[in-house]
Amino acid sequence: MFRTALRNVLAHKARLLMTVLAVMLGVAFVSGTLVFTDTLGNAFRNQSAKSYDDVAVAVTTHADRRDDKTSGIDAATLKKIRSLDGVATATGRVSGFAGVADPGGKLIGNGWSNTGGNFSPGANGKDASYTFVDGRGPAGDDRIALDKETAKKGRYEVGDRVRVATNGPVKEYTLAGIFTTEDGAVNAGGSLVLFDTPVAQQLYLKPGWFQDVTVTAAGASDRKLLDAVEPLLPKGATAKTGQVLADEQAKQIESGLGNLNTMLLAFAAIALFVGIFLIANTFTMLVAQRTRELALLRAVGASRRQVKRSVLLEAAVVGALASVIGFLLGLGLATGLRSAMSLIGGKIPAGPLVISPVAVGAALGVGILITVLAAWLPARRAAKIAPVAAMSSVHAVATTKSLVVRNSIGGVLALLGAAGIVAGAAAGSDGRTIIGAGAFVALIGVIVLIPLLSRPVIALVRPLLLKLFGVSGKLAAQNAVRNPRRTGATASALAIGLTLVTGISVLGVTLGQAVDRMTTDNIKADYMISMASGDSLDESALIALEKSGAVSAVSPQQAASLRVEGDYHAVSGVTPGDVQKVFSVKTVSGSLDSLADGEIAVGDKTAKSNGWKPGTSLPVTYDDDKKGTLKVGAVYEENEFLSPVLMPKSILDAHQIHPDIREIWLKTDGGASKANEQAVVDALGDNPAMSVMDRQDIRDMFGGFISMALNIMYGLLAMALIIAVLGVVNTLAMSVFERQQEIGMLRAIGLDRRNVKRMIRLEAVVISVFGAVVGVALGTFLGWAIGRTLASAIPDYALVIPWDRIAVFLVLAALVGVLASLWPARSAAKLNMLTAIKTE
């Protein structure tokens, strides 16, 4: 029977090609994902381990110049650490944000990974953490060094003047040297600026103090040095061995890549799930076309088990071949993903392609298992073929009982799934898991019911096809429903893909418009100023904007907190009078003018939960632990851009040494314009680290993540849609093969080649659009349900159905049908009518 299975594979190479392609694509996605994440993990782990190779003990304090509660490590403590037995070196480090401007004044890097630090040379004049390829380390107030990639992007050479922004005003420095480093920020596509140690301390902490200390050993064990260093450290400082830090970072890398791995494998699973229908369809048609052959095997003594085993062996051979090719394709995919990350700015450490036994086993196992599982039902049907069937050309036909059972099961599953989806939507934010489970059950139920649904749905368009395309349209509609199971299996693949795509589109467009309304309804400001790093703005920026002649109103968002009766409340320090001009603040009671009198305004939800109203006096404790009393002057409708408590900035300033200004919002004379924007940029000193956003930029910023996520998901789901297209091609090709006699008869009675092609094309379009309609309906339902779980967190949430995108999906589905039918239609038209008539 093995020889029989192998012979059948070789005899039906063309028919099995689409199955091979489907399995190959799915396996390529799985193997490529595993190899890619293994390679990335290995490269980053090696880099992490390398950066800690010479580190015996690392001391961390998290000290910051804005935080007076954490002091850091002073020079005296560092000297004590250096004097310990077994210590070779002890290097103090300080770091923070530093943005480098290119010659055009734009920031090099992405903001969050732009860092600055101190150059700390040893007795030999070198800092072991950096290797200089040109020039030397910075020495003096006006000298810096840049990493090689940043210098290249800015086209800077040693001796050039470079504009650097920290959290204060921009300053120019002379470039003293260019270096290479294993620093994580640089490898993430950021930049690194090295200052002389006293300069870095002044910028990021305070003179004579360090945030971290790195200790190298001279013969002593790491554990011994750790025990000696810990008693010398101030409160709040932590010390760990280099090996412990390397292990912790390796775990963090593994965890981060694990999330990426899970997401990619989820889409690979979707692609394989879609592939199941293509594989099952292929083997179902192969079994139907080989009815006589299989029955003859039974007649000459083959048992049902042997016939079933023969079909499964055939599937295993196909699965193994496709898995091997898919795995090799996956290696190329992993290499391509690595190159793509480098092209978009993500610097990946050098390292070999890692091919683990898990990746090999998973790829081969998944490919073979999926193929065999998909072929199991066709194999079971093949085993039931009676020997007497060898005496006729009648194929096995589904019994009424089997159809009733199938439709009953499908109906129950679809109803249970729909009930689960509705229940999950009603449960709010806690119902997403219920929706996920319900969606899976509903999808299975709809797939089971698709053959039943195909007849009435396609019957609706039959009159239109007849009117527009005549006999070709009539024949196409009849062919599409002649074998409902085959049509259903083909349409199911497209339905699954479009269910996901439509659901994501409905959710994405709904959230995008909700965010857009949120910004439009709540913001009056022409511009928002913030740091590219996400850090706080220096107060000098606010002062500069207040003095600018182009600015008519300006208010900061100065973050703080108040403790009222033991509960903490987020606070925004604002400018009285101007806050109403830059935000749409809807007053519920009282007046916002009371802010100018030193009173506070409270959000309506916060006021209601605490029983506050205008005139209420509140005993408060500020961030510096000082106490006071504040009076509520107004209650306003809370929004996403303001904290639940508003108070005059002047009151907060008395309790914050370093004001935590997250954003500055401003109105300009004449509204947003290029001239006003340039005036704002000039007022800020042309600082590359400060972003100036108009209202459209703000909308894009909040909605940008949604758009990016949509595009990524569309790209990942493309694999499933490609497999669905292959399914349509496969179904049509095999349908043409088994209908050769019928097509020959049609040709003989006058149907010309042009109309034969049209018939096949229309059949493909009908099947594709039918699958798309089912997918769009189910996807819209899922998008609504998931949206309901997010409604409570999004003000003014309202479902938006993207009719334009849905129309595009349906048109693309029809186009898929046309493209998928090109080869089968051409094959059908080329059939010799006499030869076809004689075909059994």
Side-chain angles (χ1 to χ4, degrees), residues 192-532:
L192 177 60
V193 183
L194 293 181
F195 302 92
D196 194 11
T197 294
V199 176
Q201 288 175 326
Q202 183 68 42
L203 287 171
Y204 301 125
L205 198 56
K206 51 188 175 183
W209 291 77
F210 299 92
Q211 294 163 326
D212 308 314
V213 175
T214 301
V215 180
T216 61
S221 69
D222 293 357
R223 183 71 243 181
K224 182 178 178 181
L225 283 180
L226 180 65
D227 293 338
V229 167
E230 283 184 322
L232 303 177
L233 301 180
K235 184 180 179 181
T238 59
K240 296 179 181 178
T241 64
Q243 184 60 52
V244 169
L245 287 173
D247 292 343
E248 287 180 353
Q249 197 163 77
K251 288 182 180 178
Q252 290 173 358
I253 292 168
E254 188 174 343
S255 174
L257 291 175
N259 296 330
L260 173 64
N261 200 29
T262 300
M263 182 184 73
L264 292 175
L265 286 176
F267 284 96
I270 292 169
L272 287 168
F273 185 57
V274 171
I276 287 175
F277 296 95
L278 170 54
I279 299 165
N281 220 11
T282 301
F283 279 95
T284 298
M285 287 187 285
L286 282 174
V287 167
Q289 292 168 15
R290 288 159 49 197
T291 299
R292 280 194 168 190
E293 175 189 332
L294 296 173
L296 281 169
L297 287 174
R298 292 291 315 283
V300 297
S303 66
R304 288 187 175 184
R305 179 177 296 179
Q306 285 178 310
V307 171
K308 182 178 178 181
R309 191 181 301 161
S310 173
V311 177
L312 292 178
L313 280 173
E314 190 175 334
V317 171
V318 172
L321 176 64
S323 296
V324 171
I325 299 172
F327 181 75
L328 296 176
L329 188 62
L331 297 182
L333 178 63
T335 304
L337 285 172
R338 184 171 179 172
S339 301
M341 285 191 67
S342 300
L343 288 175
I344 62 175
K347 188 177 178 183
I348 300 172
L353 204 64
V354 177
I355 304 174
S356 67
V358 173
V360 177
L364 295 177
V366 164
I368 295 171
L369 183 63
I370 288 293
T371 311
V372 171
L373 283 176
W376 182 78
L377 275 177
R380 186 168 173 269
R381 291 196 195 105
K384 289 183 176 181
I385 295 174
V388 73
M391 306 308 296
S392 69
S393 60
V394 180
H395 295 166
V397 180
T399 64
T400 303
K401 180 181 177 182
S402 69
L403 292 174
V404 170
V405 170
R406 175 192 178 108
N407 294 334
S408 299
I409 292 173
V412 170
L413 289 175
L415 288 173
L416 285 175
I421 293 171
V422 172
S429 59
D430 298 325
R432 290 165 203 159
T433 303
I434 302 172
I435 291 175
F440 180 77
V441 174
L443 193 59
I444 297 297
V446 169
I447 289 168
V448 174
L449 282 176
I450 272 185
L452 177 66
L453 295 173
S454 63
R455 287 186 180 276
V457 173
I458 295 176
L460 292 175
V461 299
R462 186 182 299 170
L464 180 63
L465 292 174
L466 178 61
K467 184 176 181 180
L468 293 177
F469 303 104
V471 68
S472 295
K474 180 179 180 180
L475 291 171
Q478 290 175 345
N479 290 335
V481 295
R482 178 185 296 178
N483 191 330
R485 283 186 171 177
R486 183 189 304 159
T487 298
T490 305
S492 293
L494 275 172
I496 294 168
L498 281 173
T499 293
L500 298 171
V501 170
T502 305
I504 291 168
S505 296
V506 170
L507 187 62
V509 171
T510 297
L511 293 179
Q513 292 201 16
V515 169
D516 193 57
R517 284 195 302 273
M518 184 173 67
T519 55
T520 303
D521 294 346
N522 293 314
I523 297 174
K524 290 182 180 178
D526 295 322
Y527 297 103
M528 180 188 81
I529 315 300
S530 62
M531 289 292 291

Side-chain angles (χ1 to χ4, degrees), residues 114-143:
N114 292 337
T115 57
N118 64 307
F119 176 70
S120 183
N124 59 0
K126 297 181 179 180
D127 189 326
S129 296
Y130 313 104
T131 302
F132 280 81
V133 296
D134 194 11
R136 57 187 179 183
D141 292 350
D142 66 340
R143 295 287 192 273

Side-chain angles (χ1 to χ4, degrees), residues 592-761:
L592 288 173
D593 293 337
S594 61
L595 288 170
D597 300 325
E599 297 179 358
I600 63 173
V602 182
D604 54 350
K605 295 177 184 177
T606 301
K608 183 178 180 180
S609 63
N610 290 277
W612 300 340
K613 56 185 179 181
T616 303
S617 293
L618 304 176
V620 300
T621 303
Y622 296 95
D623 286 335
D624 59 357
D625 292 330
K626 292 183 179 178
K627 300 182 184 299
T629 301
L630 291 172
K631 184 179 179 181
V632 177
V635 175
Y636 65 93
E637 287 186 15
E638 292 185 19
N639 61 59
E640 298 299 314
F641 295 93
L642 292 169
S643 298
V645 177
L646 304 181
M647 66 187 303
K649 180 183 184 303
S650 56
I651 296 179
L652 271 187
D653 286 343
H655 302 279
Q656 288 185 330
I657 297 176
H658 302 289
D660 188 7
I661 302 174
R662 294 293 173 176
E663 302 146 6
I664 299 174
W665 299 80
L666 52 95
K667 289 279 288 183
T668 53
D669 293 324
S673 66
K674 288 186 177 180
N676 280 338
E677 183 174 343
Q678 188 58 51
V680 171
V681 170
D682 292 341
L684 294 170
D686 195 14
N687 191 324
M690 294 183 186
S691 62
V692 179
M693 296 185 181
D694 60 20
R695 289 191 200 178
Q696 186 58 50
D697 293 331
I698 296 167
R699 285 198 291 266
D700 292 342
M701 178 183 69
F702 284 101
F705 174 77
I706 296 172
S707 298
M708 181 179 69
L710 275 177
N711 292 332
I712 290 173
M713 290 184 178
Y714 287 155
L716 292 172
L717 286 171
M719 181 74 74
L721 293 176
I722 290 171
I723 294 174
V725 173
L726 293 177
V728 179
V729 176
N730 198 42
T731 298
L732 289 173
M734 299 189 77
S735 177
V736 167
F737 178 82
E738 71 178 29
R739 285 156 47 197
Q740 289 184 64
Q741 188 179 56
E742 174 191 320
I743 293 171
M745 290 294 294
L746 289 171
R747 292 276 288 112
I749 61 175
L751 194 67
D752 60 19
R753 290 184 174 180
R754 181 183 177 187
N755 279 311
V756 169
K757 286 183 179 180
R758 182 181 294 170
M759 176 185 71
I760 302 298
R761 281 198 297 267

